[in-house]
Amino acid sequence: MEEFMLTTLEEMEAETAKLLETGQKVGADSWQQRAKNQGSHCKFGEEGTCCRICTMGPCRITPKAPRGICGCDVHGIVGRNFLRFTAGGAATHSDHGREICHTLYLTSEDGNYKVKDPEKLKKIAAEWDIPTENRDIYDIAHEVAETGLMEYGKPFGTQRFLKRAPEKTQEIWKRENIEPRAIDREVSCAMHMTHMGCSSEPEALVRQSLRCGLSDGWGGSMMGTEFSDVMFGTPMPQDTEANLGVMEEDMVNIIVHGHDPSLSEMIVEYSEKPEMIALAKSVGAKGINIAGVCCTSNEVAMRHGIPMAGNFLSQENVVLTGACEAIVVDVQCIFPALGPLSKCFHTKFITTSEIARMPDSDFIHFNSENAGENAEKIVRMAVENFPNRKKDLVYIPKMKQKATVGYSYESIVKTLDTVTNSFVDETGSTRPLIECINSGVIRGAVAMVGCNNPKVRHDYAHIELMKKLLANDIVLVLSGCSAQAAAKAGLMSKEAKKFCGDGLRRVCELADIPPVLHMGSCVDISRMMVLVANMSKDSGWDINKMPVVGCAPEWMSEKAVSIGNYVVATGLDTYLGVYPQTKGSSKVDGLLQGGLKDWVGACYHVELDVDKLGDSIIEGIEAKRTALGI
């Protein structure tokens, strides 16, 4: 048998260079060229010291001008910018959750969307005191959905899912006055606080940043994850493939990209219909191949085994292959550059949401009511585009790796029961994982998440950190673009256990798992919160004392800041490989990288050197083990 090898960054970069040569032939630009054209970034923007929330400015803080025109100092300006960044991310992820709530409300036995996991629906209903006995499953679904929608604007109380957290964590949130109320209220409050003439005290601004982030992670995102499972199925391990080699030269290639699984689920369903496959064959293709980019890719991979073509900074590459009939997008992380790029090829760039309208695209408005009709229209459009390929521009890199994906919280606890017979529990328990950590077989766990960022060599920080942590017996749970970085390299293959230390390798063998566990998309970081909450309950350890940390080595978006804030506020130290735009304020930066420990028992750690970042993570995990006496 041929020895298992990772796909190296150098191999991926060499193939990207070939694709960029094709782009040059047709006059297309790329993010690499656009980043180069930008030159040096604005220092004021990078440090968060520019204020443009009113037209007296913009005001920029310098030694000669230490205050804005209104008198706000650098700490207030940086704090307001950080809170506004958080509000943008919380609004975005939570609006994704709102759309999923609406879709659940429209489920029916004969509709476009159905309830595929009734047991999970009933469990959520029980948590929310919604009766289920002798009720039609769709009546339950509609009441759960309506109750969920009320979480966005209810006038009183706090988020319902906060009760999932350990009591000690709930007490911390209450003590620090960061319990999230209605989701929209926290976003609105953030915008009000940062209006001209309102808050300029850094402590108050950072505190609301945590509260706003928690409204996302334990509110909108958690509903987005849970209700998606109810409608589309709770993920269980699936075998798939990853990297650009998953595109097929003799098939119609449809790329789904974005974050909302409501669209991609329908595209997958209609691409498999016999009449569509027959249509593809009639135009000279062997069939229809669906592949994904970004979090939409994670969604369909973990439920259907759909291959993953790439992550955020790979999105232009799928078009540059010349073999993409359609790139179909919903919301978030979509390059407007895909429009003009697609026009250089035969590719159809299809936008589907009023929230993400872009030039040079075919807009087909997609919603729950017309989902089936428009999914069929989109698939048909892609198939009929196959004969328009320019064969001299087709180049698909011959690189792909096997990956096992779909480790939801439920599948993790079920799978890890095979590691030890000490705590087999039919309802699922995290105690086998705790036993492995307690014994030292596994030293700890890292929840690695997030984006790509041109400030970091594409996927380098993700992959190098993963290899270092695995070698030190630290298990990894991943979501978002970080997950796709691992899959493209081969680290989500079960054969990648060869890169682990002895203890983690043994666990992988016993449980028959890859060393890097795929937990889903960006909103599914809420799954990680459920995992650590239940680990805390099962072990008796406070979350902020467990040898578990968060890490976002290549983050770039507002969503990432919201995520970071709810992960830290939940009690997990979080390690960043890109500096937040807070360096200009010693007070804000000091709170984020130290002062938050006094509030929630965790804080941020920033290190731009990847090797040192890995060392810092390992030291942090070992320090937590020592403090626990394990």
Side-chain angles (χ1 to χ4, degrees), residues 72-80 83 193-194 198-209 585 587-588 591 599:
C72 189
D73 65 13
V74 69
H75 309 298
I77 289 172
V78 171
R80 290 191 305 211
L83 176 51
M193 286 179 71
T194 56
C198 289
S199 289
S200 56
E201 184 183 67
E203 290 82 0
L205 294 162
V206 171
R207 198 175 294 276
Q208 179 60 21
S209 297
S585 166
K587 289 185 179 179
V588 174
L591 278 170
W599 298 2

Side-chain angles (χ1 to χ4, degrees), residues 506-522:
R506 181 62 177 153
V507 170
C508 291
E509 290 168 350
L510 287 171
D512 191 30
I513 57 173
V516 177
L517 299 178
H518 177 276
M519 287 201 83
S521 65
C522 289

Side-chain angles (χ1 to χ4, degrees), residues 82-277:
F82 185 73
L83 176 51
R84 283 204 164 200
F85 218 83
T86 304
T92 301
H93 257 170
S94 293
D95 210 36
H96 172 161
R98 189 194 326 256
E99 189 62 32
I100 296 296
C101 286
H102 277 291
T103 305
L104 180 63
Y105 187 77
L106 293 171
T107 54
S108 66
E109 186 65 46
D110 58 354
N112 290 307
Y113 298 102
K114 300 175 175 61
V115 171
K116 292 187 177 178
D117 192 338
E119 293 309 311
K120 187 159 198 175
L121 175 63
K122 291 176 182 178
K123 181 180 175 183
I124 296 167
E127 281 186 71
W128 289 1
D129 299 320
I130 294 171
T132 60
E133 192 171 351
N134 299 322
R135 293 186 69 191
D136 180 81
I137 197 67
Y138 289 98
D139 288 341
I140 299 169
H142 299 158
E143 186 171 350
V144 168
E146 188 171 1
T147 304
L149 286 167
M150 287 299 296
E151 292 294 278
Y152 285 85
K154 63 186 184 184
F156 306 109
T158 57
Q159 288 294 290
R160 290 173 177 267
F161 276 143
L162 299 187
K163 293 179 182 177
R164 289 182 164 187
E167 287 186 10
K168 180 67 175 291
T169 304
Q170 294 181 53
E171 289 168 7
I172 290 171
W173 292 337
K174 190 174 186 67
R175 182 192 72 207
E176 297 301 330
N177 196 29
I178 58 174
E179 291 176 298
R181 301 158 295 185
I183 298 163
D184 289 348
R185 182 177 182 183
E186 299 306 351
V187 174
S188 180
C189 181
M191 298 307 291
H192 189 177
M193 286 179 71
T194 56
H195 188 274
M196 189 273 158
C198 289
S199 289
S200 56
E201 184 183 67
E203 290 82 0
L205 294 162
V206 171
R207 198 175 294 276
Q208 179 60 21
S209 297
L210 297 182
R211 195 177 206 175
C212 197
L214 285 168
S215 76
D216 168 13
W218 291 83
S221 281
M222 196 166 282
M223 285 192 287
T225 291
E226 296 289 74
F227 296 170
S228 291
D229 286 355
V230 167
M231 289 186 288
F232 311 132
T234 299
M236 289 293 164
Q238 296 265 359
D239 290 330
T240 188
E241 295 178 319
N243 221 325
L244 286 170
V246 302
M247 297 181 72
E248 300 285 353
E249 192 165 350
D250 54 4
M251 298 181 77
V252 174
N253 289 301
I254 302 175
I255 300 295
V256 289
H257 173 23
H259 288 74
D260 186 347
S262 303
L263 169 66
S264 51
E265 284 284 328
M266 284 287 110
I267 299 295
V268 170
E269 180 179 329
Y270 276 82
S271 71
E272 294 173 347
K273 288 189 176 294
E275 59 268 31
M276 286 298 171
I277 295 171

Side-chain angles (χ1 to χ4, degrees), residues 123 163-166 218 409 413 428-431 434 527-541 543 546:
K123 181 180 175 183
K163 293 179 182 177
R164 289 182 164 187
W218 291 83
Y409 167 75
V413 296
S429 166
T430 65
R431 283 176 287 182
I434 293 162
R527 296 191 199 277
M528 298 175 181
M529 299 304 96
V530 172
L531 177 61
V532 296
N534 287 327
M535 284 178 65
S536 176
K537 294 173 187 176
D538 291 340
S539 67
W541 300 329
I543 290 178
M546 295 193 301

